[in-house]
Amino acid sequence: MLPQNYSTLCQKINKRKLQSISVEQTIKKYVLQYNINYLPDIDAYDIHIIDITERKIAEEKVRRLAFYHQVTNLPNQYKLNDDLVSEITRQKEFSLGVFSIRNFNKLVTAYGVEVSNVLVDKFCDHLKTTLPDELLLYHLNENQFALIYRGKNDELSLQLIAKKIIYIAEKPLITLYGEFFIELDFGFCLYPTHGEDKNRLIKNAFSALSVAHANQHEYFSLFCTEVEYEIFRNTNMIDDLRNAVVKNELFLVFQPQLNLAQQEITGIETLVRWKREGSIISPAEFIPLAEQSGLIVPIGQWILEQACRFTKELVSLGHADIVVAVNVSPRQFSHPDFLKLVLQTLKDTKLNAKNLELEITEGVFMHNEEMTLCVLNQLKKNGIQLSIDDFGTGYSSLSYLKRFPIDKLKIDQSFVKNCHTNDEDKAIISTIVALGKNLNLTIIAEGVEELAHVDFLKSIHCDEIQGYWYSKPLEQDRLIAFMANAAIENIN
Ligand code: C2E
Ligand code: MG
Ligand code: MG
């Protein structure tokens, strides 16, 4: 059978003085390749026809493998890259969104990879059938998706799109393994306002996503330059923090804790400081970054070692019963070697376990209760004291206090601040103190700044106080002097 437009093709050969021409044509379910050669000696055409159907099917398969997600059949990140380049070439406004399933790792841990894949597949089926055509949807990796939107390029329209997708996600996903609900976070950026090349657009959409991700109550974030600056600053800080220990930039201060009845220093809290390029950075700023990057594990270990070493020195100076409190972050606590490292540190520094207290926050209880209980029991069994820091600000639950071997509650400073004037704060503190007494716990109030605070806390029989009223956090030498003075005053 001759190819379609056979005479036009022959004319083309003659006009352009070509020797041959090759065309592909689809006839029914076959793809045929026609090679037409001109034979000038006899002024005739020689046609070779090859059936390339199989090759074409194989090529399409490879293209699908390369450009489509294998589980959900949605276009993948390579297709997104290509499409972004095409969109940018059009030079018309569009938006790039990325969204991810919240707590996906928890889903995988709870139900396994297979169930999570089925879940994602179901969700994508819903998306494919519901989303408008002007939205191009991509499946980047297990729980991450992207979309290109050519419609109105403003925040409200993008929020509406996000809501539409959330509406789909909120419908129960019925699988063989049961009914599931998923939550999503969205990050968007606009072309050309937030970037003129694909890499920058992708990076900025993900920056926006990380903001939505970090905020439990926000599901949507549109990129802005402040976000970019914040992320840049944090990344820089994490890089510097990596070397802070080696460069001797971290140091410790210790804040005395006063027993109100005996008027004696019973403990000191270890607080870390970072001297970075000449200025002191608050731990409230860098500890969350250390936690986020995992650096808290080596840094926390360094702090523990230094604190134990210094306390051993205090013990040998005659403060035999002094207890050093060390803050432990949730990520540090959940490290598999945590217990081993604490015990090894006590051994290495020759500090008695009764002189060490670990401060944990209520957040620690939220992850893996059984493991937490097991580690706490082991610490307790070895004679280490345990306290709950910032008590009242987290997910306090009475059942934790009953089940976990806690010695001490630290009332958060936010309640103490106005306890001399605000009746609600007064009531909260009185309740915590009464509760603690019933459970045989020691109660310490943090952030005690004024005599009026002290008077109120004494009146309700709070055991201990810590705060600027008694002493600011002190460096080692000054603390030694402060403790020596306090001991002399007590004798007199
Ligand atoms: P935190 O453990 O609750 O520590 C108490 C914070 O209150 C300290 O702030 C302390 O300096 C401050 N403070 C003490 N007395 C007063 C007062 O009378 N008034 C006011 N306004 N503040 C007072 P800092 O040192 O800035 O530490 C902030 C937080 O950073 C700590 O809160 C703790 O959560 C974390 N942190 C500090 N050092 C470490 C550490 O070595 N490891 C870990 N994981 N976290 C640490
Ligand atoms: Mg603390
Ligand atoms: Mg605290």
Side-chain angles (χ1 to χ4, degrees), residues 49 64 103 246 309 326 329 471:
I49 306 172
R64 280 208 83 77
N103 297 329
V246 188
R309 214 169 291 276
V326 177
S329 297
S471 168

Side-chain angles (χ1 to χ4, degrees), residues 252-253 255 269-273 282-288 291 296 299-300 303-304 326-330 332 359 361 389-390 410 412-413 417 446-450 466-473:
L252 300 182
V253 287
Q255 188 170 34
E269 178 175 5
T270 312
L271 296 161
V272 64
R273 300 282 178 266
S282 155
E285 197 173 343
F286 72 84
I287 291 287
E291 169 92 357
I296 193 65
I299 290 178
I303 293 169
L304 180 68
V326 177
N327 291 284
V328 178
S329 297
Q332 194 185 351
E359 286 189 13
T361 50
D389 201 0
D390 306 338
K410 300 194 75 178
D412 188 65
Q413 42 183 293
K417 203 170 172 204
E446 287 190 90
V448 176
E449 291 184 350
E450 298 183 28
Q466 176 183 341
Y468 297 165
W469 178 79
Y470 186 58
S471 168
K472 290 209 159 177

Side-chain angles (χ1 to χ4, degrees), residues 416-483:
V416 177
K417 203 170 172 204
N418 298 316
C419 72
H420 53 314
T421 51
N422 183 310
D423 285 344
E424 257 173 42
D425 288 339
K426 247 184 214 173
I428 290 172
I429 295 181
S430 307
T431 310
I432 298 176
V433 171
L435 171 83
K437 297 262 166 205
N438 278 331
L439 293 170
N440 253 339
L441 304 174
T442 304
I443 311 291
I444 180 165
E446 287 190 90
V448 176
E449 291 184 350
E450 298 183 28
L451 184 60
H453 296 156
V454 183
D455 289 340
F456 166 67
L457 292 163
K458 264 188 188 161
S459 76
I460 57 165
H461 305 290
C462 177
D463 301 302
E464 297 176 0
I465 57 163
Q466 176 183 341
Y468 297 165
W469 178 79
Y470 186 58
S471 168
K472 290 209 159 177
L474 303 170
E475 287 190 42
Q476 298 189 4
D477 292 351
R478 290 193 55 203
L479 181 85
I480 292 174
F482 187 89
M483 287 180 74

Side-chain angles (χ1 to χ4, degrees), residues 95 149 151-159 190 220 222:
S95 354
Y149 177 60
K152 250 177 133 190
N153 213 354
D154 62 53
E155 185 159 359
L156 196 65
S157 311
L158 299 178
Q159 272 179 350
L190 313 176
F220 175 94
L222 179 61

Side-chain angles (χ1 to χ4, degrees), residues 234-246:
N234 287 352
T235 316
N236 261 346
M237 210 184 254
I238 290 172
D239 280 347
D240 288 356
L241 196 53
R242 226 173 278 283
N243 300 314
V245 173
V246 188

Side-chain angles (χ1 to χ4, degrees), residues 270-312:
T270 312
L271 296 161
V272 64
R273 300 282 178 266
W274 180 15
K275 195 166 185 179
R276 183 189 186 222
E277 290 160 10
S279 50
I280 305 282
I281 302 187
S282 155
E285 197 173 343
F286 72 84
I287 291 287
L289 295 179
E291 169 92 357
Q292 184 192 317
S293 61
L295 283 171
I296 193 65
V297 175
I299 290 178
Q301 178 55 26
W302 178 85
I303 293 169
L304 180 68
E305 250 173 61
Q306 300 300 310
C308 289
R309 214 169 291 276
F310 174 58
T311 309
K312 179 71 191 168

